[in-house]
Amino acid sequence: LARVQQLAKQVKSQQVKLLIQVQNDTQAQQALDMGVDIIIVQGIEAGGHIHRQSMPLLQALQQIKPLTDAANQHRSAPIALV
């Protein structure tokens, strides 16, 4: 996580949009704390090597959307959730 936070800080310092893929609400909150501009939500249906941390896409979206809604209340540009 520390390495990702360092990279996120470098990206943001260059005025580049930060996109982070997450599988659950814990990861989404970490992404929000890093100043993410776009959160890509991947559900368990996508497969891959992160199976233990994943949940069905609809369930993940239902848990993550309230986090982005709350964060968007304090931003001039909304966080995109895709």
Side-chain angles (χ1 to χ4, degrees), residues 19-23 27 38-42 50:
L19 293 78
I20 297 179
Q21 178 176 299
V22 302
Q23 291 75 37
Q27 293 173 350
I38 299 173
I39 293 179
I40 303 161
V41 182
Q42 176 179 308
I50 50 170

Side-chain angles (χ1 to χ4, degrees), residues 26-64:
T26 300
Q27 293 173 350
Q29 186 60 59
Q30 291 170 340
L32 291 167
D33 293 343
M34 288 183 238
V36 69
D37 296 294
I38 299 173
I39 293 179
I40 303 161
V41 182
Q42 176 179 308
I44 198 168
E45 301 88 347
H49 65 282
I50 50 170
H51 183 75
R52 291 179 297 132
Q53 300 171 352
S54 294
M55 61 184 69
L57 179 59
L58 183 57
Q59 182 182 353
L61 286 169
Q62 289 171 334
Q63 291 183 6
I64 294 169

